Amino acid sequence: MPSEGRVLVVDDHVEMARLLADYLSDAGYTVDVATSGQEALAVVRGRVLDAVVCDLRMEQVDGFDVLATVREVDPALPVLIMTAFGGVENAVEAMRRGATHYFTKPFRLDEVLLYVQRAIAERRLREENQALRRAVGDRSAFAALIGRSVPMRTLYELIERVAHSPAPVLVRGESGSGKELVARALHFEGPRKAGPFVAVNCTAIPNALLESELFGHVKGSFTGATTPRRGLFLEADGGTLFLDEIGDMAPELQAKLLRVLEDGEVRAVGADASRKVDVRVVAATHQELEARVREGKFRQDLFYRLNVVPLFVPPLRERREDIPLLVEHFVAQSRKRNPRARLTGFTPEALAALAAAPWPGNVRELENLVERLAVVTVQETVDLPTLQLHAPGVTVDAHPLSRAQARMIPLRQLEGEYIAYVVAQCGGNKTKAAEILGIDVSTIHRRERERSGNSA
């Protein structure tokens, strides 16, 4: 079982230190023990830790010294202070200096475990949101949305307008099309970007547990509820909660979610009072919710409440001209994850074949294919035979003329497909494609808009 985290226990009373270390170890943590402040300083400086539980009163190097060193080495590292009852005043001073929490001796071991769990969870949540903000760059989460096609430019414009509204958003689109990326863009482009972004997949959690996951629970509210849980609505307070695959939520939970959206209050399982929350809800689904409403499987009033602002994420087959850009991005990401990978790109023939593939799994399917090729291939450039070896579904003949022979399409449609084919052959470079085709680049942009309008 993987470790829940690494904790340093510091106490010059050896038996107390060992007792607490054994208890935390049994709970799944990796525990380092220091029986003096001096020893603790060496551990803090030499190891990556997730939390420190430190006695305040020790000879020579005390808890204040340990706390000061932690703040120098890792300002975000949680420090929990242990003290005798008479030392509460000093413990409060430690909190003023940056300690996360304090508890008095004698204490209950399960109480210490609860505070360690909470401190580590809160730190990881902050780190996740900081990492997301760094990852999205100057243009926020738009950096993760790759594409210059007309459908994507339309989507970008809608996100920019919608991001500053508090209204609920329903993101529609096929599986793998990038709905969560849109939700992140809405969050990080709006006024809540400094708050938490919390995501949950409603199909990944059993219905019996989803209520507790969303709204929290109090200790003892059901079998296995040995500690209280805040719930994702409280974790997302001041930020955004992304509910993916909302169409699969059980009817009884739909009613409770509707009450939260209407009242702005959540009640934990087993609690006798509600708590106010300030959360923007962004939901997503690949299903036709209107059909599920007609079938009685989704509440009509909840659908109207969620569908205040609908956004549609286009499938990959409707923005094939973005495939060269996506491939370039995924190659770069794969090389970061696989330092030994030699892959740097695809031949024009291979790119054209990718642009012609059906992609039922959308962007996620393309990303997985590029990752697979980065891992298993030894050459720097993937050619068409190599692509077909690892992706048999990609057709050999991607040329529009060959496809037209089998299905007799209108000339104007063939012209549009051929323009898209040449753009793909040129790696997405429309200026170069226009030179080859002998047309103005504005013609390419106009035909892209026409194709987008016809496919909508």
Side-chain angles (χ1 to χ4, degrees), residues 7-11 16-17 20-21 24 31-35 53-54 82:
V7 180
L8 170 63
V9 174
V10 187
D11 199 324
M16 174 63 73
L20 183 53
L24 292 174
V31 183
D32 296 299
V33 175
T35 55
V53 181
C54 183
M82 301 181 289

Side-chain angles (χ1 to χ4, degrees), residues 153-234:
R153 291 201 301 270
T154 301
L155 181 61
Y156 299 151
E157 293 171 0
L158 284 172
I159 290 172
E160 288 183 324
R161 291 202 298 269
V162 172
H164 291 273
S165 166
V169 176
L170 182 61
V171 185
R172 315 287 288 265
E174 297 178 4
S175 295
S177 58
K179 296 187 291 294
E180 183 169 345
L181 293 179
V182 171
R184 292 183 186 276
L186 287 168
H187 174 76
F188 288 108
E189 283 293 307
R192 295 173 177 267
K193 61 184 177 182
F197 177 88
V198 179
V200 59
N201 188 319
C202 297
T203 61
I205 303 172
N207 285 325
L209 299 178
L210 185 57
E211 181 180 3
S212 169
E213 188 75 10
L214 290 174
F215 309 124
H217 64 254
V218 300
K219 182 178 178 180
S221 57
F222 55 87
T223 303
T226 56
T227 59
R229 176 172 176 78
R230 283 165 51 83
L232 296 182
F233 266 97
L234 282 178

Side-chain angles (χ1 to χ4, degrees), residues 194-456:
F197 177 88
V198 179
V200 59
N201 188 319
C202 297
T203 61
I205 303 172
N207 285 325
L209 299 178
L210 185 57
E211 181 180 3
S212 169
E213 188 75 10
L214 290 174
F215 309 124
H217 64 254
V218 300
K219 182 178 178 180
S221 57
F222 55 87
T223 303
T226 56
T227 59
R229 176 172 176 78
R230 283 165 51 83
L232 296 182
F233 266 97
L234 282 178
E235 289 184 12
D237 196 17
T240 302
L241 178 61
F242 175 55
L243 301 174
D244 198 9
E245 298 303 347
I246 189 73
D248 293 315
M249 181 176 284
E252 59 271 20
L253 285 183
Q254 294 177 28
K256 294 180 179 180
L257 175 60
L258 178 63
R259 285 199 298 271
V260 174
L261 294 175
E262 291 178 339
D263 302 335
E265 296 183 348
V266 295
R267 177 176 293 189
V269 178
D272 55 8
S274 300
R275 289 186 58 174
K276 280 281 187 184
V277 290
D278 175 23
V279 176
R280 186 189 194 180
V281 172
V282 177
T285 182
H286 73 281
Q287 302 188 48
E288 289 291 336
L289 287 189
E290 296 87 346
R292 292 185 68 80
V293 168
R294 290 193 298 270
E295 296 166 0
K297 297 179 180 178
F298 200 85
R299 293 180 63 105
Q300 187 177 55
D301 45 6
L302 177 59
F303 171 69
Y304 290 143
R305 175 66 68 170
L306 292 172
N307 199 42
V308 175
V309 180
L311 289 180
F312 177 72
V313 185
L316 188 54
R317 64 181 175 275
E318 291 183 8
R319 57 185 190 104
R320 297 179 185 275
E321 55 268 43
D322 292 332
I323 287 178
L325 287 174
L326 287 164
V327 169
E328 181 181 355
H329 173 73
F330 293 146
V331 167
Q333 294 299 310
S334 297
R335 287 176 63 85
K336 289 180 181 178
R337 290 189 293 267
N338 304 281
R340 299 179 64 182
R342 300 182 61 189
L343 178 64
T344 60
F346 290 66
T347 65
E349 293 77 16
L351 272 180
L354 291 175
W359 300 115
N362 291 294
V363 177
R364 185 185 299 128
E365 183 184 0
L366 176 61
E367 180 179 14
N368 291 339
L369 172 60
V370 173
E371 180 83 7
R372 180 163 70 248
L373 290 166
V375 172
V376 302
T377 59
V378 294
Q379 64 265 49
E380 293 184 356
T381 304
V382 172
D383 55 17
L384 189 55
T386 303
L387 176 63
Q388 290 180 289
L389 178 65
H390 297 283
V394 176
T395 56
V396 179
D397 194 347
H399 200 287
L401 291 175
S402 299
R403 295 200 303 273
Q405 290 176 349
R407 53 191 177 95
M408 302 295 289
I409 62 177
L411 180 60
R412 190 162 181 80
Q413 180 180 343
L414 175 60
E415 177 185 316
E417 290 191 7
Y418 184 67
I419 289 174
Y421 170 79
V422 174
V423 170
Q425 289 277 27
C426 295
N429 188 327
K430 294 184 177 63
T431 302
K432 182 179 178 181
E435 292 176 358
I436 294 173
L437 292 165
I439 60 177
D440 190 86
V441 70
S442 62
T443 302
I444 295 180
H445 291 297
R446 185 175 67 253
R447 294 310 303 273
E448 285 180 350
R449 287 194 296 271
E450 291 174 358
R451 292 183 70 213
S452 175
N454 292 334
S455 61

Side-chain angles (χ1 to χ4, degrees), residues 19-79:
L19 176 65
L20 183 53
D22 289 343
Y23 190 82
L24 292 174
S25 296
D26 291 341
Y29 292 93
T30 300
V31 183
D32 296 299
V33 175
T35 55
S36 70
Q38 193 67 42
E39 185 181 351
L41 298 184
V43 176
V44 168
R45 292 189 178 106
R47 292 179 188 167
V48 177
L49 300 168
D50 293 294
V52 176
V53 181
C54 183
D55 191 23
L56 189 59
R57 297 289 298 274
M58 294 182 292
E59 296 292 334
Q60 296 181 334
V61 178
D62 63 10
F64 286 117
D65 298 320
V66 174
L67 177 60
T69 299
V70 168
R71 289 291 156 263
E72 293 173 3
V73 174
D74 184 354
L77 181 63
V79 178

